[in-house]
């Protein structure tokens, strides 16, 4: 672990750290906000997964979340969205390759050599955080767009590891939309049964042993709403299975960080209550 940024922020510290990931086979950067309460003892952790084209920087510089994390004593952890490095496979465009890991464990060459973001977020990252920072074992997870997809899938598949989950503008049914179909075909191959493990709507439609309530924030003026996000598919599946879900459709808001910044405070309060319960 090597600290490469440190900024005093709302009585705490916004930092960026670099470490070698054994799971991804490359160096990774993570944003870590330590609230002022972390000076006195362990704090709960909210993991934030960012969307397509993002790094660890987008959330920590645009969302304004540190103010609320400081108020509620929450550590914010923001990993990069994909493996990086000269040896890591990439592709033309923004929706495959670096910056577009989709939080899956790739099975297709050449992606399978490095693109194991699911294992990284579920196992390696929390182990690293809890060993390196004053973090307790209370975890929550959230994210935006591709990261919202990742947060929902990870929480649904690992409900005992997290106290709560939420998402902003998530890709809720990647098996049924162009972004997801392209990514899943590339990373996982043609077997749609393998896709279902990374599809929140498919997971909710299956028999789940435990069910974390889902909190979804969605702008009605989001340019990707109709053809890429389709939150109504998850809502219908959840209601059919008795899965608790709250879908907030916000008039006038789009897909940007202006939207996230407008409601991130409410989400941090939501997670703070769950992690202190």
């Amino acid at each position: 672990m090597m600290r490469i940024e440190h900024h005093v922020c709302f009585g705490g510290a916004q930092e960026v750290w670099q470490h070698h990931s054994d799971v991804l086979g490359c160096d990774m950067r993570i944003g870590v906000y330590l609230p002022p309460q972390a000076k006195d003892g362990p704090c709960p952790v909210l993991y934030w997964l960012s969307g397509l084209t993002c790094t660890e920087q987008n959330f920590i510089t645009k969302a304004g979340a540190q103010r609320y994390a400081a108020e509620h004593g929450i550590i914010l952890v923001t990993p990069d969205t994909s493996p990086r490095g000269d040896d890591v496979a990439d592709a033309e465009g923004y929706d495959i390759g670096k910056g577009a890991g989709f939080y899956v464990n790739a099975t297709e060459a050449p992606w399978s050599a490095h693109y194991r973001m699911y294992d990284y977020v579920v196992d390696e990252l929390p182990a690293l955080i809890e060993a390196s920072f004053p973090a307790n074992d209370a975890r929550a997870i959230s994210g935006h767009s591709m990261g919202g997809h990742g947060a929902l899938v990870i929480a649904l598949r690992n409900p005992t590891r997290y106290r709560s989950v939420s998402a902003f503008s998530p890709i809720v049914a990647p098996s049924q939309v162009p972004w997801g179909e392209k990514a899943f075909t590339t990373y996982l191959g043609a077997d749609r049964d393998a896709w279902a493990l990374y599809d929140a709507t498919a997971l909710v439609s299956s028999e789940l042993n435990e069910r974390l309530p889902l909190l979804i924030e969605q702008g009605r003026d989001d340019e990707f709403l109709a053809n890429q996000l389709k939150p109504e598919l998850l809502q219908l599946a959840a209601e059919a299975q008795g899965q608790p879900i709250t879908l907030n459709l916000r008039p006038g808001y789009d897909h940007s960080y202006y939207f996230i910044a407008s409601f991130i405070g409410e989400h941090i309060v939501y997670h703070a209550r769950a992690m202190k319960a």
Side-chain angles (χ1 to χ4, degrees), residues 168-184:
F168 287 76
S169 317
I171 308 170
V172 303
S175 300
Q176 302 181 54
V177 300
W179 273 342
E181 290 180 326
K182 180 178 180 180
F184 285 3

Side-chain angles (χ1 to χ4, degrees), residues 232-245:
E232 68 279 1
L233 296 178
L234 180 62
Q235 185 178 38
L236 289 171
E239 290 173 351
Q241 293 292 330
Q243 165 76 50
I245 186 170

Side-chain angles (χ1 to χ4, degrees), residues 174-274:
S175 300
Q176 302 181 54
V177 300
W179 273 342
E181 290 180 326
K182 180 178 180 180
F184 285 3
T185 300
T186 300
Y187 295 139
L188 303 174
D191 182 4
R192 285 182 170 262
D193 288 339
W195 297 11
L197 292 174
Y198 300 102
D199 186 307
T201 298
L203 289 169
V204 165
S205 299
S206 65
E207 293 296 326
L208 298 174
N209 294 325
E210 297 190 41
R211 297 180 181 274
L212 283 174
L214 309 180
L215 172 61
I216 311 293
E217 212 72 41
Q218 176 64 60
R220 284 190 180 273
D221 285 21
D222 189 320
E223 63 269 39
F224 304 112
L225 178 60
N227 67 328
Q228 300 282 16
L229 306 180
K230 301 187 177 184
E232 68 279 1
L233 296 178
L234 180 62
Q235 185 178 38
L236 289 171
E239 290 173 351
Q241 293 292 330
Q243 165 76 50
I245 186 170
T246 299
L247 174 59
N248 295 321
L249 295 170
R250 305 291 189 176
Y253 288 92
D254 58 18
H255 199 71
S256 71
Y257 265 85
Y258 296 108
F259 170 53
I260 296 169
S262 299
F263 299 102
I264 192 64
E266 295 179 18
H267 281 240
I268 288 178
V269 169
Y270 175 79
H271 292 297
R273 289 173 178 166

